[in-house]
Amino acid sequence: MSVQDETRVVEAVQTGLFVGGEWRQATGGRTIDVDDPSTEQVLASVADATVEDGRAALDAAVAAQAGWAATPPRDRGEILRRAFEEVVRRKDDLALLMTLEMGKPVAESLAEITYGAEFLRWFSEESVRIAGRWSTSPNGATRLMTTKQPVGPCLMITPWNFPLAMGTRKIGPAIAAGCTMVVKPASQTPLTMLALAQILAECGLPDGVLNVVTTSSTGEVMEPLIRDPRLRKLTFTGSTPVGRRLVEQSAQGLLRVSMELGGNAPFLVFADADLDKAVDGAMLAKMRNLGEACTAANRFIVHESVAEEFGARLAERMAALTIGRGTDEGVQVGPLVDAKQRDKVAELVQDAVDHGGTVVTGGRTTGERGYFYEPTVLTGVPTQARVFGEEIFGPVAPITTFAADDEAIRLANDTEYGLVAYLFTENLSRALTTAEALETGMVGVNQGVVSNPAAPFGGVKASGFGREGGVEGIEEYLETKYVGIAL
Ligand code: NAP
């Protein structure tokens, strides 16, 4: 990629607030700098919304709600379909933009664009399949009609780790269902979302249906919206502590709420696993998105008979990865998103070593500039170490061992989180009984990635509630209305 390409894709982004179909500056004209995490240089500045700007965005969403709900489902679907095609057509520019603001290699950004665009296509198809029911009451005297209606104006708060897909998983079903929305992307990565808003507007989304607010006074600007009686739904993807706070704020308005929160995924390798598959799966589950994924394998729980070989093979693959700026040819590992994230990863590794763990490969920050951390494998880490209890969000794979299946399941479930688990075995019965025993919303059997637009994504326990994608995804944006009809 040339410097000219980088400048071109950044300069093409509208950096204002998108409210009621118009781009505007923040009241008072303040801006937030967006950095390139591989150079620590400022890429662009976006509007820094005030409380008043946030309210104006909700005003626009509320004003557009009735008209949008009345729009034929096919029309809503066609807008999403056009947006899917446009995102795919512009995928190279969008991937470069994402890499510049988030750090991951362009190949990974391209994979996210493809994945994120699929939610636009999937929900373009779902928009015309919103159905109700018709039945006879048990005593035969009345007829029971149920119909689905849009929930109403939604607030969507998204994280930086998947700047497009975490948005389209919410925006796609909301548009399909007939809801309007205010979207608040993460402050580190707003550019991709602003580019998506431009695309949706160009594809015919009416003014006010989607509004985008960027702000550095996040809590201060979001709370009045969450407490505004006109808001009907809050959907959040982010960390568990922030999610807990938002659920509390949403209680007053009794909002419909979806929470896609943190994870601490166990990766189980049984004695009868195919180790080729397990190591390939581990590389994906650990290194996809540089480990900055809620679904990232956080704890490798490996049968004692295969742990040494698994650890050695994983370390060899991790050590062979090329680290560098995500825009450079052949780079497989980019920087972490910011200094805070890199320092947290370094702290967790130090704590594991202090607990007696061994660094097999990696274990250091690297590069003169940018927030780089080496792909790392740790063995002999006691499960009391922080790296087993906290979300790592970086390229670090701690390995512990087990002897019996029930011990593996106990270790896997020994966390407040419950998003996803991975298990590797060639025994069907063991796969099924283990999948049933794991306290998670999703399980990957002999595969290191579970995300799929056609599947219900979501967690249990402190990983949240609600599902995104699949036939379940649109239900989060629909209310069921029952009409009783006397004959
Ligand atoms: P975060 O700090 O919770 O931030 C997520 C979003 O919430 C950002 O837009 C942030 O805005 C906003 N926010 C922060 N404080 C807020 C407040 N008081 N009120 C309203 N909004 C607030 O999480 P993150 O570090 O960006 O993302 C990483 C986390 O997301 C990890 O825990 C990861 O597991 C989770 N995640 C979960 C899923 C899933 O589907 N389960 C998917 C991806 C990521 P600012 O950027 O302006 O602070």
Side-chain angles (χ1 to χ4, degrees), residues 168-345:
T168 54
R169 285 201 318 202
K170 301 180 190 305
I171 294 167
I175 289 178
C179 296
T180 60
M181 64 213 85
V182 176
V183 181
K184 210 297 289 170
S187 299
Q188 291 103 321
T189 59
L191 302 178
T192 305
M193 180 58 70
L194 293 167
L196 176 68
Q198 275 172 259
I199 290 175
L200 282 160
E202 285 166 28
C203 291
L205 194 67
D207 295 349
V209 173
L210 173 105
N211 306 276
V212 183
V213 168
T214 46
T215 181
S216 65
S217 314
T218 311
E220 208 181 306
V221 175
M222 292 297 107
E223 188 168 353
L225 301 191
I226 296 169
R227 295 189 187 277
D228 191 308
R230 298 171 301 165
L231 188 75
R232 290 315 319 138
K233 178 172 173 82
L234 167 66
T235 169
F236 172 75
T237 299
S239 61
T240 296
V242 174
R244 285 198 168 105
R245 197 172 324 149
L246 299 185
V247 170
E248 278 174 21
Q249 291 173 10
S250 71
Q252 190 57 36
L254 295 168
L255 296 182
R256 284 279 297 269
V257 179
S258 307
M259 287 282 145
E260 298 284 351
L261 307 179
N264 181 0
F267 188 102
L268 306 179
V269 183
F270 289 92
D272 59 11
D274 175 329
L275 279 198
D276 290 338
K277 275 190 215 163
V279 174
D280 284 349
M283 289 301 291
L284 270 175
K286 184 70 254 180
M287 293 307 294
R288 175 169 172 257
N289 226 46
L290 321 176
E292 292 175 313
C294 51
T295 49
N298 215 65
R299 299 170 291 148
F300 289 81
I301 301 169
V302 185
H303 191 266
E304 57 192 13
S305 65
V306 292
E308 202 176 323
E309 187 182 349
F310 175 82
R313 288 172 65 176
L314 182 61
E316 195 184 332
R317 294 274 293 273
M318 294 277 270
L321 295 171
T322 307
I323 307 174
R325 189 165 188 243
T327 49
D328 294 347
E329 196 73 26
V331 164
Q332 293 160 299
V333 180
L336 295 171
V337 76
D338 56 23
K340 192 168 145 226
Q341 195 58 39
R342 181 206 47 203
D343 295 347
K344 184 189 171 194
V345 169

